[in-house]
Amino acid sequence: MPAVRIAITRSVSPHIAECELTFRDRTPIDYARAVAHHRAYEQALEELGCTIVHAGELPQAPDGVFVEDAAIVLDEIAVITRPGAESRRSETNSIAQVLRQYRPVHFIREPGRIDGGDVLRIDRTLYAGRSQRTDDDGIAQLRAMVTPHGYDVVAVPFRGCLHLKSAATYVGVLLFNPSFVEARLFGDVEAVAVSASEPDAGNALRIGETILMSSSWPGTRRLLESGGLHVATVDADELEKAESGVTCCSLIFEA
Ligand code: GLY
């Protein structure tokens, strides 16, 4: 049977304005607009061939829409994280319930902490950003779980932003902000630096041959397109006020 591309998402909490913020100032979030941006995002994923699977609603979890942080999904297993922010720990059980249908599920245990947003995969290497959310214990537990499946885990430093994937994502090339992270840490991959006026543009999502990114970053979009890459955009600025990027709102894998 041909593989199905699943995208797990979760609806936006009416309490999203109470979300965690680390590097961003709090500004009012228009809930209806955030919901509209999230719907458009799900629609874009569907147009790119994903089947949306909704995780259980968590209206009381302000950051629950950012499902990426609750798990790291590989071809062989799914690792359920122990999020670094205590307010986000209630988000993982409902994600585990969904993922159990598709993968053997492993759990990061106390006292380790790791957010999925800090784990960037390139081929068989998982780059794990050391951050306020992800510590050495969490990274060591992740390593013990994935090494038997042939993955290396490399801890990388970064600065100035919430998650490693706020600084860099891999979309066939490494899209990165040089003020946040050094490209050389990711080995010998082609790298494209974000437009200097768009520091948060390093977060993009590759689905098939298309790179999905926020319409907030037109300069970086042009840089990618000038390199022959195919880019689609979604409006995401209302969700960006909650310190998110396009990878944060889904867990995408083949089943
Ligand atoms: N508001 C996203 C996070 O802090 O996890």
Side-chain angles (χ1 to χ4, degrees):
M1 224 166 49
V4 178
R5 189 174 281 137
I6 303 286
I8 299 177
T9 64
R10 182 178 354 248
S11 59
V12 181
S13 161
H15 293 281
I16 188 168
E18 296 151 42
C19 66
E20 295 282 341
L21 290 175
T22 307
F23 288 90
R24 193 158 298 195
D25 292 335
R26 197 168 295 279
T27 53
I29 297 180
D30 180 329
Y31 171 61
R33 195 159 178 270
V35 169
H37 283 181
H38 190 251
R39 284 215 187 101
Y41 172 81
E42 289 183 325
Q43 201 173 343
L45 295 184
E46 286 180 325
E47 283 165 10
L48 292 170
C50 296
T51 299
I52 303 288
V53 175
H54 290 111
E57 293 195 11
L58 287 179
Q60 300 306 322
D63 284 298
V65 64
F66 304 127
V67 292
E68 172 181 59
D69 292 316
I72 299 144
V73 187
L74 303 173
D75 298 340
E76 301 83 0
I77 60 170
V79 176
I80 305 301
T81 64
R82 183 168 178 272
E86 203 165 338
S87 69
R88 301 201 56 189
R89 302 244 166 96
S90 65
E91 297 172 24
T92 54
N93 279 346
S94 51
I95 297 295
Q97 267 177 23
V98 178
L99 283 170
R100 270 198 187 95
Q101 300 168 50
Y102 304 103
R103 299 282 194 273
V105 165
H106 299 250
F107 290 83
I108 300 290
R109 304 289 179 191
E110 196 175 351
R113 297 184 294 119
I114 193 163
D115 276 13
D118 277 325
V119 181
L120 166 58
R121 178 180 171 183
I122 303 180
D123 297 326
R124 304 299 288 185
T125 301
L126 304 183
Y127 293 93
R130 281 201 187 92
S131 71
Q132 292 184 24
R133 300 288 178 86
T134 294
D135 64 10
D136 285 339
D137 188 329
I139 295 172
Q141 289 189 45
L142 174 67
R143 183 178 289 115
M145 289 169 190
V146 304
T147 299
H149 299 285
Y151 295 90
D152 289 328
V153 175
V154 177
V156 294
F158 68 99
R159 60 199 166 271
C161 59
L162 176 60
H163 286 128
L164 178 61
K165 280 190 276 191
S166 322
T169 45
Y170 187 70
V171 289
V173 296
L174 184 80
L175 178 63
F176 78 110
N177 178 336
S179 302
F180 293 161
V181 71
E182 292 174 50
R184 65 171 181 83
L185 298 170
F186 300 91
D188 189 19
V189 290
E190 187 184 345
V192 175
V194 298
S195 167
S197 60
E198 298 173 351
D200 296 321
N203 185 274
L205 188 57
R206 181 168 174 149
I207 302 174
E209 294 305 310
T210 300
I211 297 170
L212 184 65
M213 64 186 295
S214 165
S215 59
S216 303
W217 322 125
T220 302
R221 174 186 184 165
R222 279 193 295 276
L223 285 173
L224 291 169
E225 287 177 333
S226 68
L229 297 165
H230 180 250
V231 179
T233 59
V234 281
D235 291 338
D237 51 282
E238 208 59 43
L239 293 164
E240 283 157 11
K241 293 177 186 171
E243 206 162 5
S244 77
V246 288
T247 65
C248 305
C249 292
S250 59
L251 284 161
I252 299 179
F253 56 91
E254 297 207 335

